[in-house]
Amino acid sequence: LMAVALFSIEQKLDSIAEMQKQILTFLEIEKESEIEADVETLVSMISKFKYNWDNEHYLQSNHKMVLDLQRTARKNMLSFQKQVTEVLNSKQLVVAQMKVKSTLKDLLKKFKYYRLSLYTFSLASLLEIMLSGNFKEEYITGIKGEIESLSMTYRDLYGKCSEYLERLGNSALEANLLKGIGSNAVGRLIGSIPKIKDGQVDEFLQDSGERLKNNAVGMERNVVKAFAEISNPGTGVFTEKMRDMILIYNHTAEICFDDKQIYLIAE
């Protein structure tokens, strides 16, 4: 059973490593070493577990470390969640476009740390099951349910932030002004200047006015599009493995294999 469980997890190590790489790319210098070390420590434990699954000293010492990392990740997750909520609760009815960009940058940073904390917590939770050796269905289901609940909270908060940024973009002063500057408006404006009102309006300026209008319409889209890149918390790979553990340890009557696959026969 342990061999099959480890094989199942090994198949996803590349996915875990890739998600880890994506999440760690944004880290700020002052926090990079600490947070990156926590994630890499957990990934290293998974890689080494197959060589030490029956080593009591390894299991006990690493189990304690995982609990500490899990506790730290939970604390960070709650902290960044609170910071994001504070931004959402701020009242900004009319803002400049520069404020939209700074708010986006601030929210992106907070949300990326929030996602990293949730990701670290989920990875630590998977390892805690493996190191404790408690594969009872009720126990794993409880941990799996907590991660799914935390992930749903993340997605809900993401949705609120996305709507908030869209409203912020719609209200940006520059965007609202530019939306009113179509080619006709630019033509009328230039045509009213005394020295050229009787002459031909420069077509280049008309085209520029149309581009300004189009750019203004796209401002909100670009803000929301940039934020959309962090919509997925990346925890599904861990809950999937927990589901595998439940099946392997609690609902398997026989295990068969050939040279390519392992087959679980349910009870």
Side-chain angles (χ1 to χ4, degrees):
L1 291 175
M2 178 61 75
V4 174
L6 287 175
F7 177 81
S8 174
I9 292 172
E10 281 281 308
Q11 302 310 298
K12 287 294 181 178
L13 280 183
D14 288 343
S15 298
I16 294 173
E18 181 61 28
M19 179 62 72
Q20 171 200 356
K21 180 180 178 182
Q22 293 177 13
I23 289 180
L24 291 175
T25 53
F26 78 94
L27 291 178
E28 295 179 350
I29 299 300
E30 66 270 21
K31 293 185 177 181
E32 182 173 353
S33 58
E34 177 186 351
I35 298 180
E36 186 171 3
D38 288 349
V39 179
E40 290 188 350
T41 296
L42 291 169
V43 172
S44 176
M45 283 186 193
I46 284 187
S47 299
K48 295 177 181 177
F49 181 81
K50 61 185 176 183
Y51 304 114
N52 296 278
W53 65 271
D54 57 349
N55 184 327
E56 286 298 323
H57 176 71
Y58 175 89
L59 295 177
Q60 291 177 8
S61 61
N62 281 274
H63 185 251
K64 182 181 183 303
M65 186 184 301
V66 163
L67 291 176
D68 290 339
L69 294 175
Q70 189 181 42
R71 190 180 305 109
T72 299
R74 186 190 293 275
K75 181 183 68 175
N76 290 338
M77 185 167 48
L78 294 174
S79 174
F80 289 115
Q81 185 184 94
K82 182 179 179 181
Q83 292 178 40
V84 169
T85 302
E86 288 175 352
V87 174
L88 291 179
N89 291 335
S90 63
K91 304 298 182 182
Q92 302 183 73
L93 298 179
V94 181
V95 296
Q97 187 63 28
M98 185 59 67
K99 181 62 177 177
V100 175
K101 293 179 180 179
S102 64
T103 301
L104 169 62
K105 184 177 180 181
D106 184 51
L107 267 180
L108 279 173
K109 182 179 71 174
K110 287 180 170 59
F111 233 91
K112 284 179 176 179
Y113 276 115
Y114 177 19
R115 179 173 69 161
L116 176 59
S117 300
L118 175 56
Y119 180 86
T120 305
F121 177 84
S122 303
L123 177 55
S125 297
L126 175 65
L127 266 166
E128 195 281 324
I129 296 173
M130 296 168 63
L131 292 167
S132 69
N134 187 347
F135 298 105
K136 293 180 180 179
E137 182 170 2
E138 295 80 6
Y139 183 68
I140 300 177
T141 299
I143 295 174
K144 175 174 171 288
E146 181 180 21
I147 293 175
E148 290 172 340
S149 176
L150 292 171
S151 300
M152 183 60 67
T153 299
Y154 175 95
R155 291 187 177 93
D156 288 344
L157 195 54
Y158 165 83
K160 293 177 182 178
C161 286
S162 184
E163 292 174 2
Y164 174 81
L165 288 170
E166 189 169 12
R167 289 197 304 270
L168 209 60
N170 284 331
S171 67
L173 288 177
E174 287 94 336
N176 289 335
L177 288 173
L178 290 173
K179 285 176 183 176
I181 306 180
S183 58
N184 293 333
V186 171
R188 290 195 299 271
L189 176 63
I190 296 174
S192 67
I193 299 174
K195 289 186 179 181
I196 63 173
K197 65 180 180 180
D198 296 328
Q200 184 177 5
V201 176
D202 191 328
E203 293 183 359
F204 173 77
L205 292 177
Q206 290 188 17
D207 292 340
S208 297
E210 190 63 36
R211 286 198 299 272
L212 285 173
K213 181 180 178 181
N214 292 335
N215 288 340
V217 172
M219 284 180 182
E220 306 90 78
R221 297 193 196 122
N222 292 335
V223 169
V224 176
K225 181 179 179 181
F227 197 67
E229 295 177 1
I230 57 172
S231 60
N232 181 10
T235 58
V237 64
F238 304 119
T239 54
E240 178 186 332
K241 292 302 103 184
M242 291 177 190
R243 185 169 60 249
D244 288 347
M245 286 181 175
I246 291 174
L247 293 174
I248 292 168
Y249 280 92
N250 299 277
H251 298 283
T252 298
E254 293 183 64
I255 298 175
C256 303
F257 61 90
D258 55 27
D259 60 335
K260 295 181 180 179
Q261 300 288 337
I262 294 179
Y263 305 92
L264 305 180
I265 302 176
E267 297 173 335

